[in-house]
Amino acid sequence: MSSLIDKAKEVILKEAEAVRAMADHLNGNFEKAIELLYNTKGRVIISGIGKSGQVARKLAATFSSTGTPAFYIHPTEGVHGDMGMVLSGDVAIVISKSGDTDELIKLLPIFKRLGVQIIAITGDEKSPLAQESDVVLDASVECEACPLDLVPTSSTTAALVMGDALAVVLLELRGFTADDFSFIHPGGALGRKLIKVGDIMHTGEELPIVKQAANFREMLLEMTSKRFGLAIIVDDAGKLAGIFTDGDLRRTIEQYQNPLSLTAGQIATTNPKRISQNILAATAVALMEDFNITSLIIIDNQNCPIGLIHLHDLLKAKVV
């Protein structure tokens, strides 16, 4: 078993070394590529075939998910009609270790005719692809990680890392934020991690709000009609003054002989837990757990309640 692990380590280390060496390959061409991609008014078309095609597909997804619209074109399908999706002003990234793949080379004249500038990610800076490209990024490797030095391993990893470097640098240049990421990733675990309280809170007529002067009966009617098991108490200026929950109701009945004579302000719990609508929903979960509560009031900058979030809302959004 140890010999198998040693072989696996050798593969990993070879690929890691190939990636590390790429840092030495970077030069002014990388900056030129970033400039082309950043300034384009069109989309980014990414193409490759075989294992490089798989890398191209992944990079198209990465660019698109980080603020740079991109899509993949298969070289063979491209010369059979799919190049109709390409528009003047787009930028193409073409990936090929050899830079001399017939299917890819056939795309280049079409790109040129459409005025599409080409960025090559290749292992051969003297290849036909490199010679016809506007910018060449060196993704050469000393050897593949396989013992035959044939199976695309280190070379595809190098191309992938080069593409990721382009995407991440562009992300930073565009000022792409967690909010932007959340907006285009509403599904899945990544999107759920970035959901904010304001995205799922109850607002407007849904809120069980009464003023401090409201009598006990009025407060109970508001609680039962809105079905949150609580009432939000506000002062005459609409600012948060307290909260009255089902638990408070039981304690009030036990403590007072005539609770109907009381006002909301007299029996409300003052200084309830509150949160801003811009806070991550995951933070709301942590706050509920810390204080063993099931609801949080959302306030604005003036301490006025604008929303309410319940643990059920967080469960429904799969934040927990």
Side-chain angles (χ1 to χ4, degrees), residues 44-273:
V44 178
I45 301 102
I46 310 182
S47 190
I49 199 165
K51 305 298 185 296
S52 294
Q54 300 300 320
V55 171
R57 285 185 175 90
K58 185 273 179 188
L59 291 179
T62 299
F63 275 93
S64 294
S65 69
T66 52
T68 300
F71 62 92
Y72 169 77
I73 282 187
H74 190 286
T76 302
E77 298 298 332
V79 296
H80 286 279
D82 278 5
M83 287 294 282
M85 296 186 289
V86 181
L87 302 173
S88 177
D90 290 343
V91 173
I93 298 176
V94 182
I95 304 170
S96 172
K97 177 186 177 182
S98 69
D100 195 15
T101 306
D102 287 342
E103 294 91 340
L104 285 171
I105 298 303
K106 289 178 182 178
L107 295 181
L108 304 184
I110 307 175
F111 284 137
K112 294 285 189 180
R113 193 158 60 245
L114 291 171
V116 172
Q117 293 185 290
I118 303 167
I119 299 168
I121 298 179
T122 181
D124 187 349
E125 294 182 286
K126 297 181 180 179
S127 64
L129 170 61
Q131 292 174 8
E132 294 298 324
S133 296
D134 297 282
V135 180
V136 180
L137 299 178
D138 181 8
S140 60
V141 297
E142 185 175 340
C143 63
E144 298 289 2
C146 88
L148 302 175
D149 194 22
L150 293 175
V151 180
T153 46
S154 297
S155 59
T156 48
T157 300
L160 179 64
V161 169
M162 183 66 80
D164 282 344
L166 290 170
V168 172
V169 171
L170 279 172
L171 175 155
E172 294 188 5
L173 280 177
R174 296 188 194 286
F176 193 80
T177 65
D179 286 341
D180 299 321
F181 190 87
S182 178
F183 180 76
I184 58 179
H185 292 79
L190 289 172
R192 290 194 295 272
K193 287 180 181 178
L194 295 169
I195 291 175
K196 291 187 176 181
V197 168
D199 297 328
I200 54 177
M201 69 182 183
H202 299 275
T203 60
E205 293 298 321
E206 295 180 278
L207 300 182
I209 296 179
V210 296
K211 289 188 176 182
Q212 290 172 306
N215 62 45
F216 191 77
R217 184 174 182 277
E218 290 171 334
M219 183 171 62
L220 288 186
L221 288 175
E222 184 72 2
M223 288 176 65
T224 55
S225 66
K226 300 299 172 66
R227 300 177 181 273
F228 286 105
L230 60 86
I232 301 170
I233 316 302
V234 298
D235 62 19
D236 290 338
K239 297 184 184 298
L240 180 63
I243 191 172
F244 190 82
T245 67
D246 285 338
D248 295 321
L249 174 60
R250 288 190 294 272
R251 287 186 289 273
T252 299
I253 292 174
E254 291 173 356
Q255 183 177 354
Y256 295 94
Q257 289 187 343
N258 184 20
L260 291 176
S261 65
L262 302 170
T263 64
Q266 289 176 314
I267 51 178
T269 299
T270 57
N271 197 30
K273 300 304 174 188

